[in-house]
Amino acid sequence: MDVTISVLADRPDLVEAFWAMDSPWPEFMAHDPISNLFYGVLEQYADYVLLAQDHTGEVVAQACSVPFHLDGDELPDDGWDGAVRRAAATRMRGQQPNAVSALEVAIRPDHQGAGLSSRMLIALRDNAARLGYAELVAPVRPNGKADVDESMAGYAFRTREDGLPVDPWLRVHVRIGGRIDKVAPRSMVIPGTLEEWRRWTGLHFDRTGPVAVPKALAPVHCDVEHGIAVYTEPNVWVRHPTA
């Protein structure tokens, strides 16, 4: 598919199109309380946001990354949330970032299946290289895990006969040179009242215990006595050398 990929810093006129693009994510994913530390100040990270336009000029894909200061080489167990928190802390402290993490590769639903996800991921990696980083790291959300009753630690490292991961999205990462590093067991934590979770999912949330939610990678833990439910999503860290 013929697309033009631009950095938001070069095309600030596309910021409204960024927000207007149809989201492929389940509703509950939009309620991670950490996310506004990035999306709420998106323009501050404009050098790390990419948009793809089709031949008509419509935005059909977007990809986000975030720079942060990492102490040592060990990637954090708090994955996606951790990258966003560390990015905010890096800015507030005036530190020099020494790592960059992918946050999102989103393809407009009517353009999925055309190979755009790998192109956007490669563009994120190339952009990290342009900005002087030796690697791009990514707390990957293996979508296939939603259909498998298995620990993320087991699922993430399962491979097919050809040696590639069984998970389609992890497979995309590995095919372009990524290396699976480790599981981030609490990559995203999404708390909410029972009423909020009912609104986000259409489910009852009327019994204490684990609740299987479509497209979630782990059960949501429901506490009826206290009126809350919490989703803790595991992700998988992948490292992409930029050279």
Side-chain angles (χ1 to χ4, degrees):
M1 182 180 177
D2 185 25
V3 296
T4 300
I5 300 176
S6 304
V7 180
L8 183 61
D10 298 331
R11 292 294 309 274
D13 57 301
L14 294 178
V15 69
E16 289 187 11
F18 176 94
W19 294 118
M21 194 186 91
D22 289 342
S23 172
W25 306 113
E27 175 63 25
F28 66 86
M29 295 289 293
H31 299 280
D32 182 336
I34 301 299
S35 64
N36 271 342
L37 292 177
F38 176 78
Y39 292 105
V41 290
L42 184 74
E43 289 85 349
Q44 294 181 11
Y45 297 105
D47 275 318
Y48 296 84
V49 177
L50 307 179
L51 301 105
Q53 296 170 274
D54 66 10
H55 68 283
T56 70
E58 290 193 15
V59 171
V60 296
Q62 55 199 36
C64 301
S65 57
V66 69
F68 64 99
H69 183 81
L70 179 66
D71 291 326
D73 190 55
E74 179 79 9
L75 293 171
D77 286 344
D78 52 355
W80 196 97
D81 284 353
V84 173
R85 275 195 295 260
R86 285 169 177 79
T90 297
R91 292 181 67 88
M92 288 187 291
R93 293 168 181 162
Q95 289 179 301
Q96 182 67 31
N98 60 3
V100 59
S101 175
L103 292 182
E104 173 185 23
V105 173
I107 313 300
R108 205 171 73 181
D110 61 336
H111 283 70
Q112 292 178 356
L116 273 178
S117 58
S118 61
R119 291 184 64 182
M120 296 303 288
L121 186 55
I122 290 169
L124 272 184
R125 184 184 64 192
D126 292 347
N127 192 57
R130 177 184 71 86
L131 294 169
Y133 296 94
E135 69 174 353
L136 171 75
V137 297
V140 177
R141 184 176 201 267
N143 292 334
K145 172 65 176 66
D147 302 319
V148 177
D149 184 15
E150 183 179 3
S151 71
M152 184 62 85
Y155 179 78
F157 293 93
R158 274 207 295 127
T159 58
R160 310 185 307 183
E161 289 184 0
D162 61 4
L164 291 171
V166 296
D167 183 80
W169 188 216
L170 282 173
R171 198 155 59 240
V172 170
H173 281 262
V174 171
R175 273 182 171 148
I176 67 167
R179 176 179 61 83
I180 295 175
D181 185 69
K182 59 177 281 190
V183 171
R186 52 184 178 92
S187 191
M188 300 182 79
V189 180
I190 304 175
T193 65
L194 299 187
E195 187 54 41
E196 285 173 328
W197 276 100
R198 290 166 186 147
R199 187 167 65 249
W200 299 340
T201 66
L203 301 177
H204 295 298
F205 280 90
D206 55 0
R207 293 185 181 180
T208 292
V211 178
V213 171
K215 298 186 179 180
L217 306 190
V220 177
H221 290 275
C222 175
D223 184 343
V224 171
E225 289 74 17
H226 295 91
I228 61 170
V230 179
Y231 174 56
T232 302
E233 176 169 292
N235 286 167
V236 180
W237 278 115
V238 177
R239 293 179 181 265
H240 289 271
T242 61

